[in-house]
Amino acid sequence: MALILVADDDLDIRELVAFRLRRDGHEVITVEDGVEALTSASDRSPDLIILDMMMPGLSGVDTARAVRDDPALADVRIIMLTARAHETDVVNGYHAGVDDYVAKPFSPRELSLRVSSLLARKR
Amino acid sequence: MQTSASASAQLAWILFAVFTGLALLCALALLALRGVRRGARGRGDRRRGELRADVLDALLGGREESGQATARLAARRGPAWDRTAEVLVDLLPKVRGEARDRALDLLRCRGAATRALRETRSRRSVTRCRGAYTLGALGAREHAGRLIELLADPASSVRRVAARALGAVGDETAVEPLLTLFDRDSHLQRDLGFALVNIGLGASPQLRRVVLDDVDEAQQPDRGHDLPTSGAAVLAASVLGMLGDPGAVPALVEGVHGGRPALVLACVRALGEIESPAGLPALEAALGADQHSTRIAAATSIVAMGSASAIPALVAAVETDDPTLSRAAATALLRLGAAGRDALTSSGSRYAAEAVALADLRSAS
Amino acid sequence: MTAVELLAGAVEVVAVFFAAYSLAINTSFAILTVLAAVNTWRHTRRVDFAGYDETFGEPVSLGISILMPAYNEEQTIVASVQAMRALRYPDFEVIVVDDGSTDATVAQLIDAFGLVRAPLVVDDAVPMRGDVLDTWVAPGGDTGLVLVRKTNGGKADALNVGLNAARKELVCMVDADSLLDPDALLHVARPFAEDPTGVVAAGGVVRVANDSTVRRGRVVRPGMPRSLLARIQFVEYVRAFLVGRAGWSQAGGLLIISGAFGLFRADVVRTLGGLATDCIGEDAELVVRLHRWLGDSGTDGRVVFVTEPVAWTEVPEDRATLSRQRRRWHRGLTEVFARHRGMLLRPRYGVIGMLTLPWFWAFELMAPVVELAGLAFFGVVLVVLGLQVTGAVDTPLVDGWIVVVLLGCAVSYAVLVSLLALLADELTFRRYLSVRDVLRAILATVQEHVGYRQLTAWWCCRGLIDGLRGSQQVWGEMKRRGFSAEE
């Protein structure tokens, strides 16, 4: 089905998300930080990227912004995983081009549903 | 002089030998420690890898594979189970929903809660911490009583973990003990606040009572106003605000009218967070309070409710050119929409100009 | 008594002095190391259950303004700022103060982050020497990243401007080339959250980053440096932070936070008038002045040390850079002492005045002087011994080889203390070094005494002289300014 990139510095989260999405039939690449996310994104052109809000090296918002700045990645959907829902961050995220937010702790099933619905929607 | 010289020479040699010997011992100990720990960590990493596949299947798999993986995990004994339990407990705060329920079931059927309870009776404070933490992660409501007992533990780390665990468990009987803990451990304020908010609306009646009790104390004729506000009452008021309970408004209004300054401020802020119109009269009265911060909080809270009556007070605050107050007042005015914005634009304060410029940038993108 | 006997007696006295000094300095180091180990042990226990992830869900946390002064850093500025933005903390802003850079620093920032001009208020709570040219914010009015451009005025002045532009309750002063741990703000902000009125400043452990794997401004894998000079400094940093910071913090007398990373209450720093622009060691000077203010005003405030690695720094690997650095540091220390010598041995400054400052004076400030003097003394003794042995002089001036043995004791005691520090560090920290790296560190504790100590002592002495001369100059200038103000 789709190619999904997952970026989070927490091994547990990476494994949980990857396992669930692979069970759904997607191909999943996992990376540990924002910089690797950008490199992988330009190499592999994923359909959807799941980013953690806070990662070492490049924050989630900065990574999202960088992805949007890349014309080749214009159609990529972005989901942000966040441990908090501060209004300013949500607003900054939307300005940066994030399509959806999932709060931590997250339900793998709910994440899977959101992924499917985002992929179904065409930009 | 000769004998004293050779005596001191001997002393010098002895010292030299002692220092060098100890240095060598240290060096050896260092190497040994590093070697041992390195080995232990390597083994640990390998074992975890084997474990993970089963855990993922058990938590996220379809019914059949999950059942098989769960059975395999449940059959583990001794240190193998301990590691499994550790991995599962680590995952509990990170997931919700079916995955979490499965992890909880597996842990409980192997008596994880009982085991954690035993750990809370250990002599070592680190073990007690782990036990308390696990009880919280498991949501072990049946053991809330033990957690409450741990609020009186001699080790402060245990008290902190127990407070947070009670928040995770969510039992209302913990509210009063948590508030009482504040007097002893005011530096646990954040942990206690966190815990109380997590307990939720069930905590509200007791929190209200604490606020009202403090108001009663303040009203007492001879000493009332000289004693400091109870920190617990201030904490209770802030938590009521964070909970957003409209039922708390009468108590908070009482706090504004009859409380001591610290409590008035907390109640004013809380009323702003709850945003119930029933609190509006009290807030308008608070616009004339003695304390600067209270007046600003009142104005901000009134704005949060969408009422324009606070505009003059807020403009005055912006023009004080005090960085914190001016910026807070400007932000509040902007939230009122056109009316507030107009008031800002006509103000000559640099803080007004800054706020308007930033707002323009925000709306442009 | 004959002249010879007098001389011999004098030699003995001097030898005893050096021996006693060495004993005192090393024993105090050893005590501080034990105290530090206790401090770290307790702290490590707590961190396991600190619940940092939950911190993000909580609505109440103290905001932090990170102040980054920048001057001509076009190569690294974008990466540094990105690394700062990626720190894990719920509420913080990054304020970059460009101190009149003549290269593309500003252009790089504006381009990389899409900054736009905005009339942000930079107030005058703290005096500024330079002029603010303009202010910029991130797109969409996001004040999480702010750039203030000013005319050149030095690092301290740039930090003061940053202080005037800061909006949060806590300020963090960092060097543009500091590599911060992603959780640094969480660790060092915790004491403030627990004790909002009591804690006024906090610092953490700074480690050596040479030959560690660094990716995008974050140390991913700590490593042992390859060059000997860097390895010796590695051991030095462990000793300095365990002893100089953690140990004193446990004893209640923490004097200095590192300039590489320190967190302060913004209102307190403003009350102090910001940093001193006429002092080389402006970061240390601020903390000492802070202690002075605490004592003078009778305020209840603590300077706290957090035993978590929070920052990493690249240490010099060539002699030229190292010599300049040490000379500058010691000059700074001298200037600070000259300025604040009125605090020594005064009870109103508590442990700092009665214990820490005198200790620093004796064992940090004057240590290089004593070391060099001891070296000279030892040289003279060897010469005399040689003369005695070859029979050129027939009266026993120096008693056997006792002086040599004493020197051996001093060295072995110092090595022991270094090893104790490494051991305490190993016991209390989660370290990721290999066994081979540990061996290298052990060797470095010995290698330190073959040249390194002597060289640094020499550089520090020159710094001390610079400082003494410099402070006279500064005072002279101030005097002239004072006169001209009256005219």
Side-chain angles (χ1 to χ4, degrees):
Chain A
M1 291 199 11
L3 175 62
I4 302 181
L5 174 63
V6 177
D8 195 315
D9 59 338
D10 186 333
L11 173 67
D12 290 335
I13 305 267
R14 283 202 303 275
E15 288 192 337
L16 286 167
V17 174
F19 186 94
R20 176 73 222 205
L21 294 176
R22 281 179 187 136
R23 265 199 74 229
D24 289 344
H26 303 295
E27 189 190 337
V28 180
I29 328 166
T30 60
V31 292
E32 276 184 37
D33 61 50
V35 180
E36 276 192 53
L38 285 177
T39 333
S40 296
S42 32
D43 285 343
R44 308 281 307 270
S45 295
D47 300 296
L48 185 143
I49 304 180
I50 299 180
L51 290 174
D52 187 33
M53 173 80 92
M54 247 152 300
M55 286 183 291
L58 207 56
S59 72
V61 173
D62 283 341
T63 312
R65 205 169 269 146
V67 166
R68 289 286 172 243
D69 281 345
D70 184 344
L73 298 170
D75 285 340
V76 177
R77 274 123 241 294
I78 302 180
I79 293 181
M80 191 86 93
L81 280 179
T82 172
R84 56 178 172 143
H86 272 202
E87 193 185 310
T88 26
D89 294 298
V90 175
V91 168
N92 285 340
Y94 278 118
H95 281 310
V98 170
D99 291 297
D100 201 358
Y101 276 87
V102 172
K104 293 201 274 196
F106 69 100
S107 157
R109 175 174 291 181
E110 193 185 305
L111 178 66
S112 155
L113 286 172
R114 288 196 191 215
V115 165
S116 314
S117 96
L118 259 186
L119 285 171
R121 253 193 281 151
K122 263 308 158 201
R123 240 173 186 262
Chain B
M1 220 163 83
Q2 274 294 3
T3 38
S4 78
S6 60
S8 37
Q10 273 184 357
L11 182 62
W13 277 110
I14 291 172
L15 276 178
F16 182 68
V18 165
F19 292 146
T20 318
L22 283 174
L24 278 170
L25 263 175
C26 264
L28 286 172
L30 206 53
L31 287 166
L33 259 177
R34 185 95 294 269
V36 162
R37 283 183 173 187
R38 193 68 174 196
R41 223 165 49 91
R43 287 193 301 277
D45 285 343
R46 277 194 302 277
R47 287 202 211 107
R48 275 196 172 220
E50 296 155 9
L51 183 44
R52 284 192 114 62
D54 275 343
V55 167
L56 288 172
D57 271 329
L59 298 192
L60 302 177
R63 187 164 306 168
E64 207 183 299
E65 11 165 41
S66 169
Q68 288 168 356
T70 310
R72 279 198 297 275
L73 290 173
R76 286 164 158 245
R77 292 275 171 265
W81 170 251
D82 293 343
R83 279 192 301 278
T84 313
E86 218 180 285
V87 170
L88 288 170
V89 169
D90 278 344
L91 287 176
L92 285 176
K94 297 181 184 176
V95 287
R96 277 187 304 120
E98 189 181 42
R100 184 156 193 269
D101 292 338
R102 285 179 180 176
L104 278 174
D105 286 339
L106 181 51
L107 284 167
R108 280 180 169 283
C109 88
R110 283 294 303 271
T114 325
R115 174 139 183 203
L117 186 66
R118 240 193 350 261
E119 283 178 345
T120 66
R121 302 202 192 279
S122 160
R123 260 186 305 168
R124 300 177 59 216
S125 68
V126 179
T127 318
R128 294 201 298 276
C129 272
R130 189 163 62 224
Y133 176 80
T134 313
L135 285 177
L138 291 172
R141 218 165 159 128
E142 69 274 22
H143 298 305
R146 177 66 191 140
L147 284 172
I148 293 176
E149 281 172 27
L150 286 172
L151 289 178
D153 192 282
S156 80
S157 55
V158 177
R159 297 198 294 273
R160 159 178 280 132
V161 176
R164 285 184 170 264
L166 280 166
V169 160
D171 192 284
E172 282 126 35
T173 57
V175 174
E176 209 187 295
L178 284 171
L179 285 170
T180 322
L181 184 59
F182 184 80
D183 293 322
R184 176 181 183 180
D185 276 321
S186 56
H187 70 277
L188 290 184
Q189 183 178 345
R190 253 183 8 166
D191 306 286
L192 294 172
F194 171 82
L196 288 166
V197 170
N198 274 20
I199 290 176
L201 286 171
S204 183
Q206 294 174 70
L207 293 172
R208 286 183 239 160
R209 201 174 314 128
V210 170
V211 171
L212 290 170
D213 284 345
D214 194 73
V215 173
D216 283 339
E217 193 186 88
Q219 299 297 335
Q220 276 175 15
D222 11 321
R223 319 131 61 229
H225 246 274
D226 295 329
L227 290 175
T229 315
S230 134
V234 172
L235 179 63
S238 357
V239 173
L240 284 168
M242 286 188 253
L243 288 173
D245 176 18
V249 172
L252 291 171
V253 166
E254 282 286 323
V256 173
H257 285 313
R260 285 167 284 215
L263 184 61
V264 171
L265 179 57
C267 291
V268 163
R269 288 197 177 127
L271 284 170
E273 285 181 74
I274 297 175
E275 291 183 21
S276 161
L280 201 49
L283 288 176
E284 284 175 348
L287 278 177
D290 288 329
Q291 273 192 327
H292 213 167
S293 42
T294 310
R295 293 205 296 273
I296 296 307
T300 316
S301 296
I302 291 174
V303 159
M305 288 189 230
S307 163
S309 59
I311 292 187
L314 284 173
V315 172
V318 170
E319 288 171 357
T320 58
D321 275 353
D322 171 288
T324 333
L325 293 177
S326 302
R327 286 190 172 120
T331 315
L333 279 168
L334 283 170
R335 277 208 219 107
L336 274 179
R341 201 205 143 93
D342 288 339
L344 266 181
T345 336
S346 50
S347 163
S349 160
R350 288 189 301 161
Y351 290 94
E354 178 192 273
V356 170
L358 288 174
D360 286 341
L361 285 171
R362 259 175 247 134
S363 51
S365 42
Chain C
M1 276 221 267
T2 69
V4 170
E5 279 170 346
L6 261 173
L7 207 57
V11 165
E12 218 177 288
V13 165
V14 175
V16 164
F17 166 75
F18 284 121
Y21 185 86
S22 158
L23 195 73
I25 192 175
N26 285 315
T27 309
S28 65
F29 266 76
I31 294 175
L32 285 168
T33 308
V34 169
L35 285 174
V38 168
N39 181 317
T40 320
W41 182 253
R42 280 212 202 132
H43 175 91
T44 323
R45 296 305 189 68
R46 287 175 41 180
V47 168
D48 284 339
F49 299 102
Y52 283 144
D53 275 338
E54 295 163 329
T55 310
F56 289 92
E58 289 169 44
V60 179
S61 61
L62 293 169
I64 295 181
S65 298
I66 299 184
L67 310 179
M68 283 179 71
Y71 182 73
N72 284 352
E73 300 181 37
E74 60 182 2
Q75 303 278 6
T76 52
I77 189 70
V78 173
S80 302
V81 173
Q82 276 170 345
M84 290 298 166
R85 295 253 289 172
L87 293 174
R88 283 167 25 112
Y89 194 74
D91 181 13
F92 73 103
E93 58 178 9
V94 177
I95 302 181
V96 180
V97 181
D98 177 74
D99 197 33
S101 292
T102 54
D103 68 354
T105 304
V106 171
Q108 292 269 0
L109 278 173
I110 294 176
D111 188 54
F113 295 98
L115 302 179
V116 293
R117 225 190 294 241
L120 299 176
V121 177
V122 177
D123 67 37
D124 50 8
V126 161
M128 300 179 281
R129 274 183 14 187
D131 295 314
V132 174
L133 297 169
D134 48 35
T135 54
W136 304 66
V137 285
D142 171 13
T143 52
L145 174 58
V146 166
L147 167 66
V148 178
R149 276 204 321 144
K150 68 180 277 285
T151 55
N152 181 264
K155 179 174 162 191
D157 196 49
L159 283 168
N160 284 339
V161 168
L163 192 56
N164 283 335
R167 300 155 165 251
K168 308 282 183 186
E169 301 101 323
L170 300 176
V171 288
C172 171
M173 308 200 206
V174 286
D175 289 337
D177 52 8
S178 302
L179 304 165
L180 293 195
D181 192 89
D183 286 345
L185 294 180
L186 279 173
H187 292 318
V188 188
R190 190 161 195 113
F192 292 93
E194 290 178 3
D195 190 2
T197 45
V199 174
V200 292
V205 177
V206 177
R207 294 207 173 256
V208 168
N210 298 47
D211 294 313
S212 297
T213 323
V214 174
R215 269 206 312 205
R216 281 285 183 156
R218 184 199 173 197
V219 171
V220 172
R221 258 174 70 87
M224 174 65 69
R226 275 194 290 267
S227 86
L228 177 62
L229 216 53
R231 267 190 239 154
I232 294 176
Q233 288 175 80
F234 175 91
V235 175
E236 239 192 334
Y237 270 67
V238 172
R239 213 172 49 218
F241 276 90
L242 225 46
V243 173
R245 314 275 192 260
W248 277 113
S249 182
Q250 184 71 4
L254 179 60
L255 183 64
I256 299 179
I257 301 174
S258 166
F261 179 75
L263 198 57
F264 296 81
R265 277 228 332 248
D267 54 353
V268 170
V269 183
R270 290 194 187 110
T271 312
L272 290 173
L275 289 116
T277 46
D278 55 356
C279 201
I280 284 261
E282 73 272 330
D283 44 6
E285 199 277 334
L286 178 68
V287 187
V288 176
R289 189 154 31 100
L290 172 63
H291 283 295
R292 186 167 207 163
W293 172 76
L294 286 173
D296 286 341
S297 64
T299 318
D300 241 335
R302 291 187 299 136
V303 176
V304 169
F305 181 77
V306 177
T307 29
E308 280 290 330
V310 288
W312 303 78
T313 183
E314 290 270 343
V315 295
E317 289 187 358
D318 65 281
R319 277 176 40 174
T321 322
L322 182 62
S323 73
R324 275 199 301 273
Q325 185 196 62
R326 294 311 164 102
R327 192 167 165 178
R328 196 178 65 238
W329 283 1
H330 221 79
R331 175 179 170 179
L333 191 62
T334 311
E335 284 179 358
V336 170
F337 261 92
R339 194 172 285 219
H340 296 289
R341 61 179 176 273
M343 287 174 71
L344 271 161
L345 296 172
R346 292 281 199 76
R348 76 157 85 154
Y349 302 114
V351 179
I352 298 285
M354 302 298 287
L355 217 58
T356 320
L357 275 170
W359 188 92
F360 263 78
W361 182 88
F363 295 141
E364 293 271 340
L365 191 69
M366 298 306 291
V369 177
V370 173
E371 267 190 61
L372 280 186
L375 206 61
F377 175 71
F378 182 65
V380 166
V381 161
L382 272 183
V383 165
V384 172
L385 261 175
L387 291 176
Q388 275 180 204
V389 160
T390 57
V393 176
D394 46 27
T395 41
L397 216 62
V398 174
D399 236 330
W401 294 90
I402 189 176
V403 177
V404 179
V405 177
L406 279 179
L407 182 71
C409 279
V411 172
S412 64
Y413 198 178
V415 169
L416 174 61
V417 166
S418 295
L419 286 170
L420 275 176
L422 286 175
L423 191 59
D425 193 47
E426 170 66 39
L427 279 173
T428 53
F429 259 120
R430 295 160 220 133
R431 305 284 284 147
Y432 302 107
L433 300 176
S434 66
V435 175
R436 200 150 37 123
D437 286 338
V438 169
L439 194 57
R440 291 201 188 111
I442 292 174
L443 281 174
T445 63
V446 177
Q447 289 163 318
E448 184 181 354
H449 295 270
V450 183
Y452 182 83
R453 285 295 278 257
Q454 293 74 20
L455 277 173
T456 46
W458 170 241
W459 296 326
C460 286
C461 280
R462 298 194 62 188
L464 188 116
I465 297 170
D466 287 344
L468 289 173
R469 261 204 236 126
S471 53
Q472 282 180 350
Q473 272 174 7
V474 169
W475 187 74
E477 261 172 30
M478 282 172 58
K479 202 169 164 214
R480 278 193 295 279
R481 256 190 264 139
F483 285 175
S484 59
E486 277 165 22
E487 281 162 32

